[in-house]
Amino acid sequence: MSQASHPILLTPGPLTTSDRTRAAMLRDWGSWDSDFNQITARIRQQVLRIVHGEGTHECVPLQGSGTFSVEAAIGTVVPRGGHVLVPNNGAYCQRIARICKVLGRELTTIDYTEDRQVSAADVDRALAADPTITHVALVHCETGTGVLNPLREIALVVARHGRGLIVDAMSSFGALEIDARKTPFDAVVAASGKCLEGVPGMGFVIVRRSTLEKCEGNSHSLAMDLHDQWVYMGKTTQWRFTPPTHVVAALDEAITQYFEEGGLEARGGRYARNCDALISGLAALGFRTYLDAAIQAPIIVTFHAPDDPKYDFKTFYQEVKKRGYILYPGKLTQVETFRVGCMGHFGEAGIPGAVAAVAETLKAMGIRQVSAAALA
Ligand SMILES: *Cc1c(COP(=O)(O)O)cnc(C)c1O
């Protein structure tokens, strides 16, 4: 198969998976079967191992894309009379705010421009000013831009105020450190098809056990009730409702490879090398990153689009795709950008190959002026 017919996905999920992970989906499982339920149990244990949450936390898996698990976490952990503070510096923070509104949880936001990190001091002030806030919902890596938020600092502030913390760690889990022994949280949400390099289709929420025990009856929804899922799984070893069996089997295989590679340090290290190679490679072609290096997570990078009138994203995308790489559109309303992911199962040649594809694309499109700043 040529690379152009199976391009490398430089996207934040679904992402490029290994042959072994895809091969794990080539059989069918019965949801009652004890072999299958052992796979579920193993995934739950291994996920806890990644955050050092064994003994203190529970991993509750849930069918659906990542957002389903974020919504389930808010709905299950925040009581109906709860009040959620969302420090908002991007699209995924705004999604959490919308979830709170839809679920009828009281909402307060601290709004930032998208090129700024959330500040722990601002969260501290907001919690001090409003004792009715019961929970903070933080996005760890804001995938809309690629900005890394200071999770540990904020977690310590929230704990000091005695409030709850829910973390959307979708695009950081498994690559950037989250250590439950050092970073207090009530819930961390992630999914199969991101840094663990499984296929999309399920999420999981790591909940502090003492919190989860008190969550009965909070949820607005039957299918999204993590407390009910947890109790049922504890009693039966099974998922409530049909599990995404192939996705579960693929995630199990992906986690095996994750630990073979060397776990968090190795995965995060590989993405960081990808990120450095990407930023320096595209900088050599004149591209500028949207974020300052100091707040850039090694997960996904937003670049300013070329200033040249010959540029349009659709053609750029198609030309790069022809050469074997899938880019990602920008998510900003004010400035024209595109994004490139650093995550997924591709070798160290992946990023240099993508940079070469972009260079050829610029030539093919006749784009001379990548950035006005670079010419000046
Ligand atoms: C991917 C992602 C999600 C979930 O998105 P889905 O499309 O529902 O899988 C949520 N938050 C962040 C930060 C993400 O990167």
Side-chain angles (χ1 to χ4, degrees), residues 30-330:
S31 63
W32 278 69
D33 188 83
S34 65
D35 291 341
F36 176 73
N37 290 317
Q38 277 168 22
I39 297 178
T40 301
R42 187 158 60 231
I43 289 174
R44 294 175 68 201
Q45 266 166 12
Q46 301 289 49
V47 161
L48 287 179
R49 189 177 149 202
I50 293 170
V51 292
H52 306 285
E54 306 106 316
T56 51
H57 291 69
E58 293 283 343
C59 170
V60 188
L62 186 72
Q63 298 91 332
S65 87
T67 304
F68 288 60
S69 283
V70 176
E71 182 163 328
I74 304 276
T76 303
V77 173
V78 181
R80 295 189 196 196
H83 179 177
V84 184
L85 175 70
V86 178
N88 167 22
N89 65 342
Y92 289 93
C93 308
Q94 282 154 28
R95 188 177 295 176
I96 293 180
R98 231 179 124 197
I99 288 170
C100 292
K101 282 190 199 156
V102 169
L103 301 190
R105 302 303 194 267
E106 193 178 344
L107 168 73
T108 297
T109 62
I110 307 175
D111 296 317
Y112 298 89
T113 55
E114 288 177 300
D115 56 355
R116 284 195 49 208
Q117 218 176 20
V118 168
S119 128
D122 292 342
V123 173
D124 193 8
R125 268 191 295 276
L127 294 182
D130 190 344
T132 71
I133 293 168
T134 55
H135 293 79
V136 174
L138 178 74
V139 176
H140 188 197
C141 168
E142 172 46 81
T143 320
T145 53
V147 63
L148 182 67
N149 285 321
L151 167 61
R152 182 144 187 274
E153 265 179 271
I154 290 170
L156 294 176
V157 163
V158 174
R160 188 152 45 72
H161 284 275
R163 321 290 171 90
L165 177 67
I166 297 166
V167 185
D168 173 351
M170 208 69 66
S171 63
S172 56
F173 187 87
L176 305 179
E177 187 186 76
I178 302 173
D179 186 335
R181 299 167 305 186
K182 295 190 272 181
T183 300
F185 61 80
D186 286 290
V188 158
V189 191
S192 53
K194 302 252 176 165
C195 302
L196 293 178
E197 300 184 352
V199 302
M202 62 173 278
F204 46 86
V205 186
I206 299 155
V207 196
R208 191 200 305 275
R209 189 183 296 138
S210 57
T211 302
L212 189 54
E213 281 164 350
K214 292 184 214 126
C215 290
E216 186 175 0
N218 282 351
S219 181
H220 56 290
S221 157
L222 173 71
M224 310 283 269
D225 186 343
L226 295 175
H227 181 270
D228 206 42
Q229 177 90 314
W230 174 59
V231 168
Y232 185 87
M233 228 172 227
K235 279 191 195 145
T236 65
T237 75
Q238 293 163 25
W239 297 56
R240 293 175 317 163
F241 321 139
T242 307
T245 47
H246 300 77
V247 175
V248 174
L251 179 59
D252 182 46
E253 179 55 40
I255 292 176
T256 298
Q257 293 161 75
Y258 174 80
F259 284 114
E260 281 173 13
E261 183 180 346
L264 186 119
E265 246 173 76
R267 184 65 48 97
R270 178 156 63 80
Y271 290 180
R273 288 192 299 281
N274 285 345
C275 185
D276 289 346
L278 175 67
I279 291 175
S280 62
L282 287 190
L285 300 177
F287 285 95
R288 289 173 305 126
T289 58
Y290 173 71
L291 295 175
D292 285 343
I295 61 170
Q296 172 72 59
I299 300 293
I300 187 164
V301 184
T302 301
F303 291 96
H304 287 282
D307 286 328
D308 199 294
K310 291 202 179 105
Y311 175 84
D312 77 285
F313 179 74
K314 270 196 186 135
T315 313
F316 183 69
Y317 175 91
Q318 288 301 340
E319 288 293 321
V320 174
K321 178 180 171 183
K322 265 198 241 165
R323 292 165 174 85
Y325 300 88
I326 299 286
L327 304 179
Y328 213 54

